[in-house]
């Protein structure tokens, strides 16, 4: 409006009173045209910058991360959030979380605890989740026991066959004092149960004792009747045999009860669905194929666990200082092998990876285990020191990420297609060049999608990106996107696919190099795989935010 006022004043001064010659009129027209051109230029500049308005991510460097004192102030006396968690999610989206309280905040972001839960309700969930995790671990160790027995029977049969054929002489190698006998799988089970939850073990022992007592009472009754019919049959079963039969009966009953109550993945959401709450039709079908799959998953899990790096050490020094004795004990508890060459902290870390990944393969047998899942779990283990809590946070993480590991790759194709559409909508010239290179399907960002930038970012950058991404997803689950952020036109609405916008932003940042220098998709793949340590996480989030503001309504 100031430009129009200037034009009016100039025109009034130049025109003068009526009857003045037309020279002044010509000058007034020129000034008016110039003013109009200036207005048009201002409008163009404002319009062009509208899509590039500085987003809240740029303020991140001026805003500190969510600190302990502020975190405590978010709760009422009952342990509930004052506003249902809205402020928490906004703070995490804008500033991240201080490392010292990540272990407390993450369970809320990952859906382990509801945003409207009280402290008492969370304690109930914690106990339930702990018991569920221990049931999964018992099931895994039982499978280890069965596999060990099958291997022993196979080896024994092969050995006897060789002896009978005369190819090998039978020999017995004594166990000397320098070669202690390795503990059995049953001992591993007992050790892990003792280390994991003494209270739960005591409850199970009480149930076992009660079952034995009931079984013994029935046996005494049967024995009394049998004595009247035929006294001689009493000597056929010794006390030791009776005891073994009782224990076997109890163990069989315990295994059946465990199978009934073992938690399973459910796509309906929530913390966990117990199998006894599902219909029989929804329960996994037991088959030889399932057993073979689990055996395969176990072998791959152990290989990946032993090969896991230790970049987390500087972030979690308490876990890095584990003793050799404790590390070996944890390895034996999960039947880990071939770990002797590793340092103590890596043995302990590998053991935790095995325990939780095996439990997840049992919890979600449709997905089981695929390489890359250990990359997603490792950062969680550095923050969460209790295995049961780490497991349920990982299960919450995998609620979205599990689609990356489907054998049919439907989830991966959907995400790659979305990255492609973002690039096409934002930079059509780049998209056309990718089409010429037969790379418009964006397969070159496959690794970024599967392991969620884990190998392109440093350890701390990964934690920052993921917790912002989880805050977006938590806001979407809670319906906050439509109630709070929907009123803020310049703020990016929460999205379940912030990661994909970030991936597209990383590609768009290299548009000039891709268009001018690359002539094949292989060159782009090599460039993407060499990004490790070169990305600025907060600039990446800033660019991703701008894409969400601009394209969210068209893409999603």
């Amino acid at each position: 409006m100031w430009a129009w006022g200037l034009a009016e004043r100039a025109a009034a001064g130049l025109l003068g009173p009526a009857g003045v010659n037309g020279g002044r009129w010509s000058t007034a027209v020129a000034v008016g045209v110039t003013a109009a051109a200036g207005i048009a230029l201002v409008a163009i500049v404002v319009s062009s910058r509208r899509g590039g308005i500085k987003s809240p991510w740029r303020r991140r460097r001026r805003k500190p991360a969510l600190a302990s004192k502020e975190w405590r102030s978010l709760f009422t006396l009952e342990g509930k959030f004052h506003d249902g968690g809205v402020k928490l999610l906004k703070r995490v989206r804008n500033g991240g979380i201080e490392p010292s309280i990540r272990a407390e905040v993450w369970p809320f972001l990952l859906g382990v605890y509801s945003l409207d839960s009280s402290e008492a309700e969370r304690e109930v969930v914690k106990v339930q989740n702990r018991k569920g995790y221990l049931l999964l671990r018992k099931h895994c160790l039982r499978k280890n026991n069965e596999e060990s027995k099958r291997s022993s029977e196979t080896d024994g049969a092969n050995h006897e066959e060789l002896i009978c054929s005369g190819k090998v002489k039978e020999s017995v190698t004594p166990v000397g004092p320098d070669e202690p006998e390795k503990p059995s799988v049953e001992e591993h089970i007992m050790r892990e149960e003792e280390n994991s939850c003494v209270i739960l073990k005591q409850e199970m022992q009480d149930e076992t004792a009660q079952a034995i007592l009931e079984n013994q009472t029935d046996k005494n009754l049967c024995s009394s009747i049998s004595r009247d019919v035929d006294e001689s049959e009493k000597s056929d079963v010794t006390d030791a045999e009776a005891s073994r039969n009782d224990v076997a009966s109890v163990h069989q009953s315990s295994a059946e009860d465990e199978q009934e109550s073992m938690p399973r993945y459910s796509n309906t959401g929530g913390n966990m669905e117990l199998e006894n709450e599902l219909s029989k039709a929804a329960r996994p079908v037991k088959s030889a194929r399932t057993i073979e799959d689990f055996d395969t998953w176990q072998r791959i899990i152990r290989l990946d666990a032993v090969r896991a790096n230790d970049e987390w050490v500087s972030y979690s020094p308490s876990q890095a200082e584990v003793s050799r004795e404790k590390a070996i004990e944890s390895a034996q508890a999960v039947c880990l092998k071939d770990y002797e060459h590793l340092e103590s902290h890596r043995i302990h870390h590998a053991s935790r990876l095995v325990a939780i990944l095996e439990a997840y393969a049992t919890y979600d047998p449709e997905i089981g285990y695929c390489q890359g899942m250990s990359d997603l779990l490792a950062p969680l283990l550095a923050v969460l020191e209790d295995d049961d809590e780490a497991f349920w946070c990982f299960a919450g993480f995998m609620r979205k990420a599990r689609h990356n590991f489907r054998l049919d790759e439907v989830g991966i194709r959907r995400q790659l297609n979305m990255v492609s559409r973002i690039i096409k909508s934002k930079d059509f010239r780049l998209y056309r060049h990718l089409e010429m290179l037969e790379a418009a399907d964006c397969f070159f960002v496959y690794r970024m999608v599967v392991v969620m930038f884990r190998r392109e970012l440093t350890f701390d950058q990964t934690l920052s990106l993921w917790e912002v991404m989880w805050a977006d997803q938590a806001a979407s689950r809670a319906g906050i996107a439509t109630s709070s952020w929907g009123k803020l036109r310049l703020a990016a609405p929460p999205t379940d696919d912030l990661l994909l916008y970030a991936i597209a932003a990383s590609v768009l940042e290299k548009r000039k190099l891709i268009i001018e220098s690359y002539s094949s998709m292989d060159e782009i793949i090599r460039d993407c795989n060499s990004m490790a340590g070169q990305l600025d996480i907060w600039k990446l989030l800033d660019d991703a935010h701008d894409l969400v503001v601009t394209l969210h309504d068209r893409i999603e």
Side-chain angles (χ1 to χ4, degrees):
M1 298 303 295
W2 62 268
W4 283 115
L6 177 63
E8 290 175 356
R9 288 193 298 272
L14 292 171
L15 286 175
V20 179
N21 59 27
R24 291 185 176 182
W25 172 256
S26 300
T27 304
V29 171
V31 171
V33 171
T34 303
I39 293 171
L41 179 61
V42 170
I44 292 172
V45 171
V46 171
S47 177
S48 64
R49 291 186 60 190
R50 189 170 184 80
I53 292 176
K54 288 186 177 181
S55 71
W57 301 120
R58 291 194 185 276
R59 298 196 297 272
R60 192 275 170 197
R61 298 181 188 280
R62 298 194 299 270
K63 281 190 175 182
L66 177 66
S68 177
K69 184 177 181 180
E70 184 180 3
W71 164 246
R72 309 292 176 210
S73 69
L74 299 177
F75 293 94
T76 65
L77 294 177
E78 296 179 349
K80 286 190 172 184
F81 288 113
H82 288 288
D83 56 359
V86 174
K87 185 175 181 181
L88 165 68
L89 299 181
K90 286 185 176 181
R91 287 290 289 108
V92 175
R93 293 182 83 224
N94 289 333
I97 307 170
E98 278 192 355
S100 62
I101 59 171
R102 274 176 170 154
E104 299 178 55
V105 180
W106 281 9
F108 290 93
L109 302 183
L110 291 167
V112 177
Y113 301 139
S114 172
L115 290 174
D116 60 358
S117 63
S118 66
E119 185 175 1
E121 290 169 340
R122 291 193 292 273
E123 285 299 320
V124 173
V125 172
K126 186 180 297 185
V127 172
Q128 180 188 19
N129 284 353
R130 187 173 184 82
K131 184 174 181 179
Y133 174 72
L134 288 174
L135 286 172
L136 289 167
R137 285 301 308 145
K138 282 171 63 64
H139 183 76
C140 294
L141 291 171
R142 219 171 244 118
K143 282 183 173 291
N144 283 339
N145 192 15
E146 293 171 0
E147 172 63 20
S148 178
K149 288 181 179 178
R150 285 197 300 270
S151 299
S152 299
E153 291 172 0
T154 302
D155 293 342
N158 293 338
H159 187 64
E160 290 179 3
E161 183 178 350
L162 291 173
I163 292 174
C164 293
S165 63
K167 295 180 180 179
V168 176
K169 292 184 179 180
E170 185 173 8
S171 62
V172 177
T173 303
V175 179
D178 296 332
E179 298 180 1
E181 185 177 358
K182 293 183 179 180
S184 64
V185 176
E186 290 85 350
E187 291 174 344
H188 293 326
I189 296 176
M190 293 177 61
R191 184 176 302 167
E192 181 165 326
E193 288 178 354
E194 290 173 357
N195 293 337
S196 301
C197 187
V198 175
I199 296 177
L200 182 60
K201 180 182 177 183
Q202 184 62 45
E203 291 175 355
M204 294 177 64
Q205 288 176 343
D206 293 342
E207 293 173 0
T208 301
Q210 183 178 359
I212 292 176
L213 181 60
E214 293 173 355
N215 201 323
Q216 186 64 42
T217 301
D218 294 340
K219 178 172 285 297
N220 292 339
L221 179 60
C222 293
S223 178
S224 177
I225 296 174
S226 177
R227 192 182 303 113
D228 295 337
V229 177
D230 188 358
E231 186 69 22
S232 62
E233 293 182 0
K234 179 180 178 181
S235 60
D236 293 339
V237 180
T238 65
D239 291 339
E241 290 172 340
S243 178
R244 285 196 296 269
N245 291 337
D246 290 339
V247 173
S249 175
V250 171
H251 283 177
Q252 181 179 0
S253 175
S254 176
E256 292 174 354
D257 292 342
E258 172 193 321
Q259 188 67 21
E260 285 297 312
S261 61
M262 192 167 59
R264 296 288 191 185
Y265 169 81
S266 172
N267 59 7
T268 58
N271 298 325
M272 69 176 182
E273 291 286 345
L274 296 182
E275 193 175 347
N276 60 357
E277 295 176 358
L278 303 176
S279 65
K280 291 184 178 180
R283 296 177 186 172
V285 178
K286 301 175 186 178
S287 66
R289 175 62 181 166
T290 302
I291 295 174
E292 292 172 3
D293 286 344
F294 188 82
D295 292 343
T296 301
W297 296 334
Q298 280 188 318
R299 287 193 292 271
I300 301 174
I301 287 171
R302 280 160 169 70
L303 288 174
D304 288 353
V306 171
R307 291 192 298 234
N309 61 44
D310 59 352
E311 61 179 333
W312 55 270
V313 169
S314 59
Y315 187 87
S316 182
S318 61
Q319 296 187 54
E321 295 173 357
V322 64
S323 66
R324 187 77 179 179
E325 180 181 359
K326 182 178 179 181
I328 293 177
E329 181 180 347
S330 64
Q332 292 176 343
V334 296
C335 307
L336 186 65
K337 300 177 181 178
D338 302 326
Y339 58 82
E340 293 80 5
H341 63 288
L342 299 177
E343 299 91 337
S344 299
H345 63 272
R346 291 188 64 186
I347 296 174
H348 182 64
H349 183 70
S351 303
R352 296 189 70 197
L353 284 173
V354 169
I356 294 175
L357 291 172
E358 282 185 354
Y360 186 82
T362 303
Y363 171 72
D364 187 2
E366 181 186 3
I367 300 300
Y369 177 77
C370 293
Q371 287 183 314
M373 289 170 64
S374 60
D375 290 292
L376 303 186
L377 175 58
L380 274 67
L381 295 186
V383 173
L384 304 163
E385 296 191 1
D386 293 334
D387 283 4
D388 57 301
E389 190 170 35
F391 170 81
W392 289 110
C393 283
F394 180 65
F397 189 7
M398 287 294 292
R399 190 177 295 122
K400 174 74 174 176
R402 69 189 295 273
H403 301 291
N404 294 357
F405 303 98
R406 291 176 58 93
L407 294 179
D408 57 15
E409 294 194 335
V410 171
I412 289 293
R413 288 199 297 270
R414 183 198 74 82
Q415 294 178 83
L416 292 178
N417 179 260
M418 185 169 176
V419 173
S420 177
R421 286 189 289 124
I422 293 172
I423 294 174
K424 182 178 181 180
S425 300
K426 184 64 177 178
D427 192 333
F428 189 70
R429 183 186 175 191
L430 174 60
Y431 179 80
R432 289 298 301 271
H433 185 72
L434 293 176
E435 279 188 323
M436 291 175 56
L437 303 183
E438 298 183 351
D441 58 1
C442 291
F443 185 80
F444 52 87
V445 298
Y446 183 94
R447 189 179 77 175
M448 295 184 195
V449 173
V450 173
V451 294
M452 300 186 171
F453 263 124
R454 179 65 192 90
R455 299 182 186 177
E456 286 72 33
L457 300 175
T458 65
F459 190 83
D460 192 59
Q461 285 178 329
T462 299
L463 302 187
S464 298
L465 174 64
W466 285 2
E467 61 195 12
V468 170
M469 178 180 70
W470 295 336
D472 261 34
Q473 294 170 359
S476 297
R477 287 196 307 270
I480 297 176
T482 56
S483 61
S484 297
W485 278 288
K487 300 176 183 178
L488 304 176
R489 296 181 179 178
L490 298 182
T495 171
D496 283 341
D497 295 306
L498 181 63
L499 174 79
L500 304 182
Y501 286 97
I503 291 174
S506 69
V507 176
L508 290 166
E509 186 178 349
K510 292 179 173 290
R511 68 177 304 277
K512 183 176 180 181
L513 183 64
I514 293 174
I515 292 174
E516 296 180 357
S517 303
Y518 294 158
S519 57
S520 69
M521 185 170 67
D522 290 339
E523 291 178 300
I524 305 177
I525 292 176
R526 282 195 296 270
D527 186 83
C528 290
N529 291 344
S530 64
M531 283 185 183
Q534 299 180 14
L535 294 173
D536 182 339
I537 181 62
W538 298 109
K539 182 181 184 304
L540 188 68
L541 284 170
D542 182 29
D543 294 341
H545 165 77
D546 285 340
L547 290 175
V548 173
V549 171
T550 307
L551 304 174
H552 181 269
D553 294 335
R554 281 189 282 169
I555 297 297
E556 299 188 30

